[in-house]
Amino acid sequence: MKKQSVLNTTQICKVRIQAIKEAMEILSGKWKFHILGTLLQGDKLRFMDLLREVEGIAPKMLSKELQDMEVNQLISRNVCNTKPVTVEYEITEYGKTLKPIIDEIANWGIAYRTSMFKK
Amino acid sequence: MKKQSVLNTTQICKVRIQAIKEAMEILSGKWKFHILGTLLQGDKLRFMDLLREVEGIAPKMLSKELQDMEVNQLISRNVCNTKPVTVEYEITEYGKTLKPIIDEIANWGIAYRTSMFKK
DNA sequence: CAGGATCCTTTACGATACTG
DNA sequence: CAGTATCGTAAAGGATCCTG
């Protein structure tokens, strides 16, 4: 008789659901995935760049979301001592671990939002 | 000379970012992934079941989120003529296309929220 | 340029009570 | 049981102006 895991199905599900909840505590908000998707392209971007790339976001929101994600170490903020100062935002290694999620969201958006399923 | 795609890199990125934006318009909100994750386990669940499973949600929010997702055809609502009435919620085929996203979020939550990266 | 400060409007969310 | 009604708070979002 096989007894590979100590966890039963119910417990595994609870862990998964809990994991989703915890993940979303960091990732929820209208703009996070959008900003992360932009930064995941790999370039360092300045505040103004992001304001342009993340279409529709207001400076106040962008500022807040960036701070949020910096606290959570998903992105890094680098102040360059140029004149006037420029600030570069970049995704961290930790942030890059979100790539599979972002990719799946992008894929879904491309594949299904415009497909036969759409009203 | 190869000329496989009409799209250049910039355009591909724009499509991806736009796809993320559109996807998140349907999926944003504090509870959607949580509810979908629960329903993706496969069972039909009643309102009360969900209220218990989706820990912390208030009936009003659950009701609203369910309506939202029904409009977007991610879930289906079935009223059974028992007495008193019971209502079953189930994920649709379209909703199931979100499984890769939910799986990745759950995986990330399990793998990274408790790992070395975490403060 | 990178934002913070202020003011105001609109959603999102939450707690509790109530109804068919 | 499956919600809706009501009320209240908090966060989102927009506009404009300001500062180092």
Side-chain angles (χ1 to χ4, degrees):
Chain A
M1 190 179 158
K2 221 161 99 181
K3 198 177 171 183
Q4 231 177 302
S5 169
V6 215
L7 297 173
N8 62 35
T9 310
T10 308
Q11 286 174 315
I12 290 171
C13 290
K14 281 209 174 179
V15 169
R16 272 176 56 87
I17 298 297
Q18 187 58 24
I20 291 172
K21 191 179 176 184
E22 285 182 22
M24 291 317 291
E25 268 164 35
I26 284 194
L27 301 171
S28 74
K30 190 174 172 185
W31 301 102
K32 297 230 171 62
F33 285 115
H34 199 154
I35 297 169
L36 287 167
T38 305
L39 285 172
L40 267 169
Q41 289 169 189
D43 301 316
K44 294 180 185 181
L45 294 176
R46 286 175 301 169
F47 193 83
M48 272 311 208
D49 296 331
L50 284 166
L51 216 48
R52 234 175 296 107
E53 299 273 333
V54 183
E55 236 183 272
I57 198 169
K60 196 176 63 175
M61 278 308 297
L62 179 56
S63 172
K64 191 197 151 274
E65 297 283 64
L66 288 171
Q67 281 174 33
D68 260 31
M69 294 193 290
E70 198 196 350
V71 166
N72 285 314
Q73 305 176 55
L74 299 176
I75 61 169
S76 63
R77 179 176 182 275
N78 194 352
V79 182
C80 312
N81 59 348
T82 50
K83 230 187 121 178
V85 291
T86 54
V87 179
E88 290 174 345
Y89 291 92
E90 193 180 5
I91 193 140
T92 62
E93 288 306 310
Y94 181 33
K96 285 179 190 168
T97 63
L98 290 168
K99 189 171 186 319
I101 299 178
I102 311 274
D103 283 348
E104 285 299 343
I105 293 174
N107 289 346
W108 187 83
I110 291 166
Y112 293 104
R113 282 287 292 150
T114 51
S115 80
M116 53 189 174
F117 287 113
K118 195 175 171 182
K119 253 210 294 264
Chain B
M1 187 180 159
K2 223 160 100 183
K3 199 179 172 182
Q4 230 177 304
S5 169
V6 216
L7 297 172
N8 63 35
T9 311
T10 308
Q11 286 174 315
I12 291 169
C13 291
K14 282 210 174 179
V15 168
R16 272 177 55 88
I17 299 297
Q18 186 58 25
I20 292 172
K21 190 179 177 185
E22 285 182 22
M24 291 317 292
E25 269 165 33
I26 284 194
L27 300 171
S28 74
K30 190 175 171 182
W31 300 103
K32 296 230 171 65
F33 285 115
H34 200 152
I35 297 169
L36 287 168
T38 304
L39 285 172
L40 266 169
Q41 290 170 189
D43 301 316
K44 294 180 185 181
L45 294 175
R46 286 176 301 168
F47 193 83
M48 271 311 207
D49 296 330
L50 284 166
L51 215 48
R52 234 176 296 108
E53 299 273 333
V54 182
E55 235 183 273
I57 197 170
K60 192 179 73 174
M61 279 308 299
L62 180 57
S63 171
K64 191 198 150 273
E65 297 284 63
L66 288 172
Q67 281 174 33
D68 261 29
M69 295 193 289
E70 197 196 350
V71 166
N72 285 314
Q73 305 176 56
L74 299 176
I75 60 169
S76 64
R77 180 177 180 275
N78 193 352
V79 183
C80 313
N81 57 348
T82 51
K83 229 186 126 185
V85 290
T86 55
V87 179
E88 290 173 345
Y89 291 93
E90 192 180 6
I91 193 138
T92 62
E93 287 306 311
Y94 181 35
K96 286 179 190 170
T97 64
L98 290 168
K99 189 171 187 317
I101 298 179
I102 311 275
D103 283 347
E104 285 299 343
I105 292 175
N107 289 345
W108 187 85
I110 291 166
Y112 293 103
R113 282 288 292 149
T114 51
S115 81
M116 53 187 173
F117 287 113
K118 194 175 171 182
K119 254 210 292 264

